[in-house]
Amino acid sequence: MPAPHNPFKAALKEGKMQLGVWSSFAHPYPIEMVATAGFDWVVIDGEHAPNDLQTITAQLQVLEGKHSHAVVRIPTGNDWLVKQVLDAGAQTVLVPMVDTAEEAAGLVRAMRYPPHGIRGAGAAGARASGFGSIADYVQTANDEVCLLVQVETKRGMDNLDAILAVEGVDGVFIGPADLAADMGFPGNSRAEPVKAAIKDMLGRIAASDKAAGILGVTEAATQDYAAWGAQFLAVGVDVGVFAKAIRDLESHWRARL
């Protein structure tokens, strides 16, 4: 029996739009609720949310069998972090702050078993292989893992074409907030120079054999990103959605009572 099919990776290859959302509550209960919305993909955020391997694993368990595909963002591109989340059952990994083709190529190797990579082959005791019940997991897993790298600095922007040439990278995700800060516009990803850079990069990614991704948190930005070529497009963060809703609720009733 082979490794489980990765529908998100297949959809990217087919050029299908994949609508997503961020999850930052770091707990299986709210992500189960998020999954009822029907997004194509949900990011379990290990960079800015208080997640660790155990909370990530619990959320992967909740999302198994749901329409929403789990995308695990690790805090940094270390081989051992990649290994741990893959063994926990993640098939799609999002890595922040990838600035060079060499870094991207190293991540490709970390995602794959030898001879194409350096992933440790002790899958028999891992959740990813069904604890050894998927007999052909090691032989077939390479085809089903999906690597998304984040380009979100001026250095990464300068090296984008080289990163796009790296075989085994499935998608390139633009990080507007970090890019804006690195370009001298902290907190303002809608500054005209930043918008121009994002538009250029999304277009170049979309014209390659990789999928273009980004997170939009406003109506205007999200519409722009879709028009500029984003294929896996996140449209919000669950913590932000909840925070706005609960504050609006308080303001509504505070003004009326």
Side-chain angles (χ1 to χ4, degrees), residues 11 36 65 71 89 124 140 145 155 171 184 186 192 198 229 239 242 248:
T36 66
V71 174
T140 58
V145 294
R155 187 179 180 210
E192 288 303 323
I198 292 172
V239 168
F242 177 80
D248 287 350

mmCIF file of all heavy atoms in Angstrom, residues 11 36 65 71 89 124 140 145 155 171 184 186 192 198 229 239 242 248:
data_model
loop_
_atom_site.group_PDB
_atom_site.id
_atom_site.type_symbol
_atom_site.label_atom_id
_atom_site.label_comp_id
_atom_site.label_asym_id
_atom_site.label_seq_id
_atom_site.Cartn_x
_atom_site.Cartn_y
_atom_site.Cartn_z
ATOM 1 N N ALA A 11 -3.772 19.286 -6.803
ATOM 2 C CA ALA A 11 -4.531 20.449 -7.270
ATOM 3 C C ALA A 11 -3.608 21.553 -7.763
ATOM 4 O O ALA A 11 -3.893 22.224 -8.764
ATOM 5 C CB ALA A 11 -5.435 20.966 -6.156
ATOM 6 N N THR A 36 -14.835 22.986 9.351
ATOM 7 C CA THR A 36 -16.226 22.879 8.887
ATOM 8 C C THR A 36 -16.557 23.928 7.838
ATOM 9 O O THR A 36 -17.570 23.813 7.148
ATOM 10 C CB THR A 36 -17.214 23.032 10.062
ATOM 11 O OG1 THR A 36 -17.146 24.362 10.594
ATOM 12 C CG2 THR A 36 -16.934 22.017 11.154
ATOM 13 N N GLY A 65 -8.968 13.287 7.054
ATOM 14 C CA GLY A 65 -10.261 12.930 6.491
ATOM 15 C C GLY A 65 -11.159 14.109 6.188
ATOM 16 O O GLY A 65 -12.231 13.940 5.599
ATOM 17 N N VAL A 71 -1.585 22.251 6.067
ATOM 18 C CA VAL A 71 -0.279 22.770 5.671
ATOM 19 C C VAL A 71 0.415 23.195 6.963
ATOM 20 O O VAL A 71 -0.080 24.071 7.671
ATOM 21 C CB VAL A 71 -0.411 23.968 4.716
ATOM 22 C CG1 VAL A 71 0.945 24.596 4.434
ATOM 23 C CG2 VAL A 71 -1.099 23.540 3.415
ATOM 24 N N GLY A 89 2.856 13.198 10.339
ATOM 25 C CA GLY A 89 1.755 13.028 9.395
ATOM 26 C C GLY A 89 1.527 14.172 8.444
ATOM 27 O O GLY A 89 0.644 14.103 7.578
ATOM 28 N N ALA A 124 8.631 3.277 10.515
ATOM 29 C CA ALA A 124 7.774 2.217 11.068
ATOM 30 C C ALA A 124 7.088 2.647 12.356
ATOM 31 O O ALA A 124 5.961 2.232 12.643
ATOM 32 C CB ALA A 124 8.579 0.948 11.296
ATOM 33 N N THR A 140 7.230 5.295 -1.399
ATOM 34 C CA THR A 140 6.282 6.109 -2.178
ATOM 35 C C THR A 140 6.054 7.509 -1.622
ATOM 36 O O THR A 140 5.416 8.336 -2.286
ATOM 37 C CB THR A 140 4.920 5.386 -2.260
ATOM 38 O OG1 THR A 140 4.434 5.145 -0.924
ATOM 39 C CG2 THR A 140 5.042 4.069 -3.005
ATOM 40 N N VAL A 145 4.827 14.241 -0.858
ATOM 41 C CA VAL A 145 5.146 15.401 -0.033
ATOM 42 C C VAL A 145 5.154 16.654 -0.904
ATOM 43 O O VAL A 145 5.445 16.612 -2.096
ATOM 44 C CB VAL A 145 6.497 15.239 0.701
ATOM 45 C CG1 VAL A 145 6.402 14.118 1.714
ATOM 46 C CG2 VAL A 145 7.645 15.027 -0.272
ATOM 47 N N ARG A 155 16.459 40.003 -0.223
ATOM 48 C CA ARG A 155 17.405 39.002 -0.708
ATOM 49 C C ARG A 155 16.679 37.863 -1.417
ATOM 50 O O ARG A 155 17.085 37.419 -2.488
ATOM 51 C CB ARG A 155 18.241 38.470 0.453
ATOM 52 C CG ARG A 155 19.362 37.536 0.016
ATOM 53 C CD ARG A 155 20.159 37.058 1.211
ATOM 54 N NE ARG A 155 21.228 36.166 0.797
ATOM 55 C CZ ARG A 155 21.713 35.176 1.524
ATOM 56 N NH1 ARG A 155 21.231 34.970 2.753
ATOM 57 N NH2 ARG A 155 22.677 34.407 1.077
ATOM 58 N N GLY A 171 5.719 25.117 -4.524
ATOM 59 C CA GLY A 171 5.085 26.430 -4.525
ATOM 60 C C GLY A 171 5.954 27.441 -3.807
ATOM 61 O O GLY A 171 6.762 27.087 -2.946
ATOM 62 N N GLY A 184 11.531 48.564 4.099
ATOM 63 C CA GLY A 184 11.482 49.864 4.745
ATOM 64 C C GLY A 184 10.091 50.401 4.993
ATOM 65 O O GLY A 184 9.921 51.578 5.299
ATOM 66 N N PRO A 186 7.592 48.985 7.404
ATOM 67 C CA PRO A 186 7.034 48.078 8.428
ATOM 68 C C PRO A 186 5.568 48.382 8.699
ATOM 69 O O PRO A 186 5.184 49.532 8.877
ATOM 70 C CB PRO A 186 7.905 48.369 9.656
ATOM 71 C CG PRO A 186 8.500 49.714 9.409
ATOM 72 C CD PRO A 186 8.670 49.830 7.929
ATOM 73 N N GLU A 192 3.065 51.442 -2.116
ATOM 74 C CA GLU A 192 3.155 51.214 -3.552
ATOM 75 C C GLU A 192 4.384 50.418 -3.969
ATOM 76 O O GLU A 192 4.271 49.509 -4.808
ATOM 77 C CB GLU A 192 3.090 52.545 -4.311
ATOM 78 C CG GLU A 192 1.709 53.194 -4.306
ATOM 79 C CD GLU A 192 0.621 52.291 -4.883
ATOM 80 O OE1 GLU A 192 0.911 51.556 -5.850
ATOM 81 O OE2 GLU A 192 -0.502 52.320 -4.362
ATOM 82 N N ILE A 198 5.284 42.719 -4.965
ATOM 83 C CA ILE A 198 4.434 41.536 -4.837
ATOM 84 C C ILE A 198 3.811 41.167 -6.181
ATOM 85 O O ILE A 198 3.789 39.992 -6.575
ATOM 86 C CB ILE A 198 3.349 41.771 -3.773
ATOM 87 C CG1 ILE A 198 3.982 41.867 -2.380
ATOM 88 C CG2 ILE A 198 2.296 40.659 -3.806
ATOM 89 C CD1 ILE A 198 3.016 42.289 -1.291
ATOM 90 N N GLY A 229 -2.085 36.527 -9.870
ATOM 91 C CA GLY A 229 -1.619 35.177 -10.152
ATOM 92 C C GLY A 229 -1.542 34.222 -8.985
ATOM 93 O O GLY A 229 -1.066 33.090 -9.143
ATOM 94 N N VAL A 239 -7.534 33.608 14.364
ATOM 95 C CA VAL A 239 -7.433 34.446 15.556
ATOM 96 C C VAL A 239 -7.907 35.864 15.254
ATOM 97 O O VAL A 239 -8.630 36.482 16.057
ATOM 98 C CB VAL A 239 -5.985 34.450 16.084
ATOM 99 C CG1 VAL A 239 -5.793 35.532 17.137
ATOM 100 C CG2 VAL A 239 -5.628 33.085 16.657
ATOM 101 N N PHE A 242 -11.769 35.925 14.881
ATOM 102 C CA PHE A 242 -12.421 35.854 16.189
ATOM 103 C C PHE A 242 -12.252 37.163 16.951
ATOM 104 O O PHE A 242 -13.208 37.674 17.555
ATOM 105 C CB PHE A 242 -11.851 34.699 17.005
ATOM 106 C CG PHE A 242 -12.423 34.605 18.392
ATOM 107 C CD1 PHE A 242 -13.653 34.020 18.608
ATOM 108 C CD2 PHE A 242 -11.737 35.130 19.476
ATOM 109 C CE1 PHE A 242 -14.200 33.951 19.882
ATOM 110 C CE2 PHE A 242 -12.262 35.067 20.751
ATOM 111 C CZ PHE A 242 -13.500 34.474 20.958
ATOM 112 N N ASP A 248 -16.217 43.558 17.948
ATOM 113 C CA ASP A 248 -17.388 44.202 17.339
ATOM 114 C C ASP A 248 -18.642 43.925 18.145
ATOM 115 O O ASP A 248 -19.516 44.789 18.288
ATOM 116 C CB ASP A 248 -17.577 43.714 15.895
ATOM 117 C CG ASP A 248 -16.536 44.281 14.943
ATOM 118 O OD1 ASP A 248 -15.791 45.198 15.343
ATOM 119 O OD2 ASP A 248 -16.472 43.800 13.789
#
